[in-house]
Amino acid sequence: MEMEKTVGYIPNQLHNSTLLIIDKRCKPTVVPLKGSMTFGRRHSGKLCDILVDSVIVGRNHGEFIYDNNQQAYYYIDNNSLNGTYINGYKLEKYNDRGSKAFRLNDGDILRVDRTTLNQPHPEAVIMIYCTTIRYDEKWKVTDTSRYANITIGRGSNNVIRLTDMTASRNHAVLRRNNSAWFVFDNGSVNGVSLNGREINGNAAVFDHDVIKVGNTTLILCGKLLVYNNPGESTGNLSVRIQKKTVDFGRKTLLRDINFNVESGDFVLILGGSGAGKTTLVKAILGDGKADGRIILNGQDLYTNFKSMKSQIGLVPQFLTLRVNDTVKNTLIDIADIKLDRKNYSKQEKLQRIDEIMNKVGIKNLENHLIAQLSGGQKKKVSVAYQLVGFQKVFICDEPDSGLDAASRTQQMEILKEISQNDKIVMVISHEPDDAVDADTGRSLFTKVVVLAKSSRDGAGHLAFYGGVEQAKEHFGVSKLQDIMKEINPPFEGGKGKADYYIDKYYSLGR
């Protein structure tokens, strides 16, 4: 379990995080987190910011604390009588104030309960920390006592019918055996997770357990099953790498890499020589696991690889469209590749293509040949081509390599537009200053990750993560590509200041 430092209050800091709370009323409530907030039981005296109805919750039970430097939320249990469990582990007392601060990631499950979690207290409270569930999310409730089997999926014959296209037609089933419930994965494409871990075939489900099917969250609460039906969700990515080693642990390539990326971000990955850019990309893809967690929308890639492998992927260097094909046929071809026949009917594929063409504004061009399109229209077709699948994170390893300046700019404009469709795009590039908006001259990137190889341990560390202008200020440069001169060793034409900038970044409390 990840424990972190004690964090001080920074009041009134806004952040796009919410808590899904279910108390004894079994009524889901979504509470937006606004800066640091206290949590406790509703009573007649001084009240906390976040209130629940439960006799086992203390009057001042815990605190959600926002760290402005790291732009992250932490939770502290205030040495409450019944304590707080996070992802099944109880926070232990650290000092007279409370527990150590636990850094929260999307999907973390907090519970106030008795020690037998599989037999919860009647007034147990569950809270799910979210960066992907909206404040106005619609939640439904199904009475489980009416069913012996509760089928879940996109098909019209399911008890719980989902609009989420990442769910299979007959994705899963909850089966009752006497008073016990079990969840079965019906051979779905994207799998089923229980309390944050992918199941293998089936698993027992207990009161207050959390099930994920595609983008849908389902929570068993006594005789009720509480769930949302969000459809296609946005992506929020959390990278938490303690270290990445090779040669049976004898050599460390990456160490202490921590950052969060939000839907809509277009992220540049820069790195000094041997700093681990490609190693980082492979770790995020799940191709060469690191010691740590890669969390997308509350699910850890390493423990839920089946359900997540289609959501994070590489983008080809440059898409060449067939000029004698129509726009629609071009998209049908890629739909046949990305949407398997077993799980998606021809009608569903055509529905998805229409949805994407409308989204990027090319529906009126569907019967045009690619050869008839303008340069701008071709770029939109390239964007639509990538959006047909349900990938949330697009990673590109030097997509501009070997291209002339005009082609590099065009490629980056396509990737930028993909990110603007509620996606995350991460790019390794050696010509980052070519990625600029033609009208404003501003960088197309929204965030910059800088890796630098430390002379102290030979591993790649974070030397910066943040906005483009902040990156230039941090390194004292006017161009992004000049950052490499600051951190590369002298024998490669650099100033050899990698350790200086690593220390400078961490001195900011990142």
Side-chain angles (χ1 to χ4, degrees), residues 237-239 257 259-262 265-269 277 280-281 284-285 294 312-315 391-399 412 415-416 418-419 423-429 445 447-449 465:
L237 180 71
S238 177
V239 177
I257 309 296
F259 60 89
N260 296 314
V261 189
E262 297 184 352
D265 273 335
F266 186 26
V267 183
L268 169 67
I269 301 175
K277 299 184 298 295
L280 173 62
V281 164
I284 295 173
L285 289 168
I294 307 298
I312 304 176
L314 281 170
V315 176
Q391 193 169 319
K392 294 184 175 70
V393 181
F394 297 78
I395 299 179
C396 316
D397 193 346
E398 298 186 38
M412 291 301 181
L415 295 172
K416 173 68 173 181
I418 291 172
S419 73
K423 306 295 181 182
I424 292 170
V425 178
M426 307 180 75
V427 175
I428 295 175
S429 173
F445 298 109
K447 298 285 176 56
V448 182
V449 172
Y465 177 66

Side-chain angles (χ1 to χ4, degrees), residues 50-90:
I50 301 168
L51 299 172
V52 297
D53 292 320
S54 171
V55 296
I56 65 170
V57 171
R59 293 188 175 192
N60 186 21
H61 197 100
E63 305 169 21
F64 292 88
I65 299 174
Y66 185 75
D67 184 330
N68 193 47
N69 287 330
Q70 298 196 38
Q71 296 185 1
Y73 267 101
Y74 289 76
Y75 177 81
I76 292 175
D77 182 90
N78 291 334
N79 293 333
S80 63
L81 179 62
N82 293 302
T84 307
Y85 292 82
I86 299 184
N87 301 328
Y89 296 93
K90 190 173 185 178

Side-chain angles (χ1 to χ4, degrees), residues 98-313:
S99 68
K100 283 186 178 180
F102 182 96
R103 181 169 181 158
L104 295 170
N105 291 304
D106 186 30
D108 280 342
I109 302 167
L110 297 85
R111 282 176 69 167
V112 179
D113 208 340
R114 53 190 173 196
T115 55
T116 52
L117 294 182
N118 289 345
Q119 296 176 320
H121 190 281
E123 296 198 14
V125 172
I126 185 170
M127 300 181 288
I128 304 178
Y129 173 78
C130 309
T131 58
T132 53
I133 291 179
R134 302 185 308 273
Y135 173 66
D136 59 351
E137 192 87 73
K138 302 298 182 184
W139 291 82
K140 298 181 180 179
V141 175
T142 292
D143 184 351
T144 63
S145 64
R146 298 169 51 201
Y147 303 95
N149 297 298
I150 301 176
T151 54
I152 306 166
R154 289 197 340 267
S156 59
N157 60 332
N158 287 289
V159 174
I160 295 179
R161 187 180 181 187
L162 305 179
T163 58
D164 176 15
M165 291 285 280
T166 64
S168 297
R169 287 195 191 94
N170 299 295
H171 197 110
V173 61
L174 271 170
R175 286 194 186 131
R176 182 164 48 194
N177 184 359
N178 295 322
S179 61
W181 284 96
F182 294 82
V183 62
F184 291 79
D185 182 352
N186 287 335
S188 65
V189 174
N190 292 320
V192 177
S193 74
L194 179 66
N195 297 324
R197 298 190 68 87
E198 197 168 88
I199 70 169
N200 184 15
N202 65 85
V205 181
F206 298 94
D207 200 1
H208 284 66
D209 277 352
V210 179
I211 302 167
K212 286 282 284 188
V213 170
N215 296 315
T216 298
T217 300
L218 305 100
I219 306 164
L220 188 63
C221 296
K223 294 182 178 181
L224 301 178
L225 186 65
V226 178
Y227 64 97
N228 63 346
N229 197 354
E232 187 173 359
S233 69
T234 58
N236 288 276
L237 180 71
S238 177
V239 177
R240 300 278 176 264
I241 297 175
Q242 281 83 55
K243 62 181 179 177
K244 168 60 180 172
T245 61
V246 292
D247 295 338
F248 303 100
R250 289 191 292 266
K251 183 177 181 181
T252 301
L253 302 181
L254 290 175
R255 189 184 295 277
D256 299 330
I257 309 296
N258 298 290
F259 60 89
N260 296 314
V261 189
E262 297 184 352
S263 174
D265 273 335
F266 186 26
V267 183
L268 169 67
I269 301 175
L270 290 175
S273 178
K277 299 184 298 295
T278 301
T279 302
L280 173 62
V281 164
K282 287 183 177 180
I284 295 173
L285 289 168
D287 178 16
K289 293 181 180 179
D291 293 335
R293 304 175 74 194
I294 307 298
I295 302 166
L296 178 63
N297 290 1
Q299 291 185 284
D300 190 332
L301 173 68
Y302 296 159
T303 56
N304 301 283
F305 190 71
K306 178 185 175 182
S307 62
M308 294 182 62
K309 63 183 179 181
S310 64
Q311 298 180 49
I312 304 176

